[in-house]
């Protein structure tokens, strides 16, 4: 019985991590001026535990910025500055997050990204900040996660 309880606790903590994913910004096009990032983000789910991966050419960079800096394409007070062609940013807390390319005029021409990070790795399709999120998608992932935990528990107890 103690083994079953230990396995249950282990699975309970490991299952949410199994849903974490690397989100490649812009898909195959990466972080470039040829992508509509609002459209790209609307088809993605961003959850705590995921990694946002930016792949870009040397003339670009990735700045994590405030909402105001995002809206005004201001790169002067970046929260984080990344260069080097590949950047992986862990999504460690729920809420809105904003990214811009610091290269002159790139943000102004659309090279910026706004995302809403869900509080756990059990989310639905994400919309840019201030978008509505669905309840049924959250519930279905919760049911799947709960079923996995119960299935593992019964497998080891039976």
């Amino acid at each position: 019985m103690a083994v079953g309880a230990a396995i249950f606790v282990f699975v309970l903590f490991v299952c949410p991590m199994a849903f974490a994913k690397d989100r490649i910004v812009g898909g195959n096009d990466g972080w470039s001026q040829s992508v509509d990032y609002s459209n790209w983000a609307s088809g993605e789910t961003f959850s705590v535990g995921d990694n946002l991966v930016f792949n870009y050419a040397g003339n670009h960079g990735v700045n994590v910025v405030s909402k105001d800096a995002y809206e005004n394409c201001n790169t002067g007070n970046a929260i984080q500055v990344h260069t080097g062609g590949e950047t992986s940013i862990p999504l460690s807390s729920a809420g809105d997050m904003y990214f811009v390319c610091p290269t002159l005029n790139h943000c102004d021409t659309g090279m910026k990204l706004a995302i809403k990070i869900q509080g756990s790795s059990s989310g639905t399709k994400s919309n840019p900040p201030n978008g509505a999120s669905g309840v049924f998608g959250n519930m279905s992932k919760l049911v799947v996660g709960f079923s996995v935990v119960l299935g593992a528990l019964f497998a080891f107890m039976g």
Side-chain angles (χ1 to χ4, degrees):
M1 183 68 162
V3 172
I7 291 171
F8 174 75
V9 170
F10 175 77
V11 170
L12 185 64
F13 287 106
V14 171
C15 278
M17 289 183 260
F19 290 111
K21 293 184 178 179
D22 284 345
R23 305 290 174 182
I24 310 299
V25 175
N28 291 334
D29 293 322
W31 184 236
S32 69
Q33 290 180 281
S34 64
V35 178
D36 177 345
Y37 290 101
S38 295
N39 187 45
W40 175 81
S42 70
E44 295 291 322
T45 301
F46 305 100
S47 301
V48 170
D50 289 351
N51 294 303
L52 208 54
V53 179
F54 291 82
N55 296 312
Y56 50 96
N59 63 327
H60 299 298
V62 180
N63 284 9
V64 180
V65 296
S66 67
K67 179 180 181 178
D68 183 61
Y70 169 84
E71 290 172 346
N72 296 299
C73 289
N74 180 355
T75 60
N77 269 339
I79 299 165
Q80 295 176 14
V81 175
H82 302 276
T83 59
E86 184 175 321
T87 299
S88 181
I89 299 175
L91 305 181
S92 57
S93 60
D96 299 338
M97 219 168 161
Y98 303 92
F99 309 88
V100 299
C101 179
T103 304
L104 185 63
N105 294 324
H106 286 197
C107 177
D108 293 319
T109 59
M111 202 168 167
K112 60 184 186 175
L113 172 66
I115 64 170
K116 178 174 279 307
I117 304 162
Q118 298 174 3
S120 66
S121 295
S122 61
T124 62
K125 184 172 134 181
S126 176
N127 292 318
N130 299 326
S133 63
V135 173
F136 295 111
N138 287 334
M139 186 167 294
S140 69
K141 291 249 178 144
L142 180 64
V143 169
V144 169
F146 186 69
S147 298
V148 168
V149 170
L150 282 178
L153 179 63
F154 288 130
F156 288 103
M157 291 180 75

